[in-house]
């Protein structure tokens, strides 16, 4: 029987709506053999998820997802697999990432208030429940209060680039993000390359080549935003650059209603992807 995993998902530690242990239980209930938790800018959910995975006998990898400086309209997200929670470099990294949010979020709220929306930073903090406060938490409040009809609409009208209350956050450069993931004992992987919105294959290859030169370990070939043609294209690209293939749903619970844990646009992620990542992690650790 083939076994499957999900290497990209979010919990309440960032902008998912399931607690870390609940994500792991859902993985078990969905028949998955393993999971990596990849919350934005934090490993705050990793200890709880790891404990639950151990209890349920699922393979588990700690992870983090970081967005880097990248020209609009694209976005570059780097996943860091196997980061070490005890590593001081990781603590410094997450502190810096949170500072970027703490600077941006009040600007969004102030602008929304100027637009006549009844919303406060305290409400957003309560909605988030944890340390990482993101736009989906603001979107959830706009939806609940009836200002918009969906999370998507909240982004389109207010929170996405071009929206009435859009503010960008301070981001790390791609080189800095790569360096700090590696310093933290992690393996950098390019998330959902489709979201780079590169205009042609040559440009995509240049970006991947630059990342490879900075120590990229893998490419997320399977993702909810990738159709069959893209999976095929990114698989060939990964093979050409000697990169590991990874994949995941990008599950966010009810913040992304159409995404189910363990399934990415109809595809599943083979356990072998996760085993190869774990093996590479051991090799890298042994090499120091
Ligand atoms: P933030 O990390 O606060 O900048 O918010 C980014 C998060 O918002 C992403 O990780 C997604 O979960 C979500 N997001 C971004 N753009 C959209 C969109 N257009 N519709 C729905 N969710 C989005
Ligand atoms: Fe998210
Ligand atoms: Fe992402
Ligand atoms: Zn994600």
């Amino acid at each position: 029987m083939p076994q499957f995993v999900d290497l990209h998902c979010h919990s309440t530690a960032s902008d998912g709506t399931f607690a870390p242990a609940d994500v792991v239980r859902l993985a078990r209930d969905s028949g998955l053999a393993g999971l990596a938790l990849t919350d934005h800018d934090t490993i705050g959910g990793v200890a709880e998820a790891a404990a639950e995975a151990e209890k349920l006998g699922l393979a588990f990898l700690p992870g983090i997802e970081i967005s880097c400086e990248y020209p609009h309209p694209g976005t570059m997200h780097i996943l860091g697999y196997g980061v070490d929670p005890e590593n001081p470099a990781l603590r410094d990294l997450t502190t810096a990432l949170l500072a970027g949010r703490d600077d941006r979020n009040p600007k969004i709220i102030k602008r929304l208030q100027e637009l006549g929306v009844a919303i406060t930073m305290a409400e957003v903090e309560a909605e988030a429940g944890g340390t990482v406060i993101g736009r989906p938490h603001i979107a959830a409040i706009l939806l609940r209060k009836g200002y918009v009809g969906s999370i998507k609409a909240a982004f389109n009208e207010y929170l996405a680039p071009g929206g009435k209350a859009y503010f960008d956050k301070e981001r790390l450069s791609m080189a800095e993000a790569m360096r700090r993931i590696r310093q933290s004992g992690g393996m950098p992987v390019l998330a959902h390359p489709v979201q780079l919105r590169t205009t042609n294959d040559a440009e995509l290859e240049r970006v991947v080549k630059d990342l490879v030169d900075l120590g990229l370990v893998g490419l997320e070939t399977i993702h909810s935003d990738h159709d069959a043609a893209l999976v095929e294209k990114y698989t060939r690209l990964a093979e050409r650059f000697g990169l590991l293939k990874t994949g995941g749903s990008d599950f966010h619970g009810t913040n992304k209603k159409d995404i189910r844990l363990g399934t990415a646009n109809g595809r599943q992620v083979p356990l072998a992807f996760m085993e190869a990542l774990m093996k590479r992690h051991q090799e890298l650790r042994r090499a120091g």
Side-chain angles (χ1 to χ4, degrees):
M1 262 262 283
Q3 289 192 290
F4 299 103
V5 299
D6 196 326
L7 301 176
H8 190 158
C9 57
H10 298 265
S11 75
T12 49
S14 66
D15 57 3
T17 60
F18 283 59
D22 290 334
V23 177
V24 176
R25 281 193 278 272
L26 183 61
R28 191 266 320 265
D29 294 345
S30 309
L32 299 181
L35 186 81
L37 188 67
T38 54
D39 276 306
H40 302 285
D41 300 355
T42 186
I43 52 134
V46 158
E48 180 186 317
E52 190 66 19
E54 162 110 65
K55 203 166 94 191
L56 299 180
L58 264 68
F60 182 79
L61 255 180
I64 191 167
E65 182 175 23
I66 297 173
S67 54
C68 315
E69 276 172 11
Y70 192 75
H72 284 311
T75 56
M76 178 186 280
H77 291 182
I78 305 288
L79 296 159
Y81 288 110
V83 284
D84 171 11
E86 304 299 324
N87 192 313
L90 181 62
R91 210 155 315 137
D92 291 349
L93 171 59
T94 53
T95 303
L97 295 169
L98 286 183
R101 289 177 181 276
D102 288 345
D103 178 60
R104 176 202 63 175
N105 291 333
K107 293 181 192 161
I108 300 178
I109 299 312
K110 180 158 176 282
R111 177 62 51 82
L112 285 170
Q113 289 168 344
E114 287 163 3
L115 291 165
V117 174
I119 189 168
T120 65
M121 224 19 244
E123 281 176 299
V124 179
E125 281 160 12
E127 177 70 32
T131 48
V132 172
I133 301 172
R135 286 176 290 164
H137 300 119
I138 301 170
I141 293 174
L142 294 175
L143 174 61
R144 199 168 55 240
K145 293 192 170 182
Y147 289 105
V148 291
S150 69
I151 299 269
K152 267 242 113 64
F155 273 88
N156 288 339
E157 196 175 332
Y158 294 104
L159 302 171
K164 286 184 277 192
Y166 174 72
F167 290 91
D168 204 356
K169 58 182 181 287
E170 189 73 43
R171 291 162 198 270
L172 295 179
S173 70
M174 147 181 133
E176 187 70 3
M178 298 288 292
R179 190 174 68 77
R180 294 177 75 154
I181 287 172
R182 295 172 66 197
Q183 270 182 341
S184 306
M187 300 177 288
V189 167
L190 177 61
H192 40 60
V194 68
Q195 290 183 19
L196 295 169
R197 296 175 72 167
T198 45
T199 43
N200 55 56
D201 288 353
E203 190 191 345
L204 171 65
E205 280 168 40
R206 265 199 308 278
V207 175
V208 171
K209 167 78 168 61
D210 287 346
L211 287 168
V212 167
D213 291 343
L214 294 166
L216 192 73
V217 162
L219 199 66
E220 190 172 53
T221 57
I222 299 177
H223 182 271
S224 292
D225 290 347
H226 296 170
D227 63 16
L230 286 177
V231 173
E232 171 64 27
K233 178 196 176 105
Y234 299 140
T235 299
R236 271 187 276 121
L237 197 59
E239 282 163 2
R240 181 132 42 88
F241 281 98
L243 295 167
L244 297 179
K245 293 167 285 184
T246 75
S249 62
D250 216 343
F251 177 74
H252 281 69
T254 55
N255 277 341
K256 291 195 179 169
K257 276 203 165 55
D258 39 359
I259 295 178
R260 275 194 304 131
L261 189 69
T263 307
N265 200 346
R267 265 163 290 276
Q268 288 193 289
V269 180
L271 174 60
F273 283 20
M274 183 175 192
E275 289 171 340
L277 260 183
M278 292 174 116
K279 180 159 169 268
R280 176 68 59 86
H281 197 224
Q282 274 174 357
E283 288 164 2
L284 288 170
R285 263 197 302 214
R286 235 176 278 132

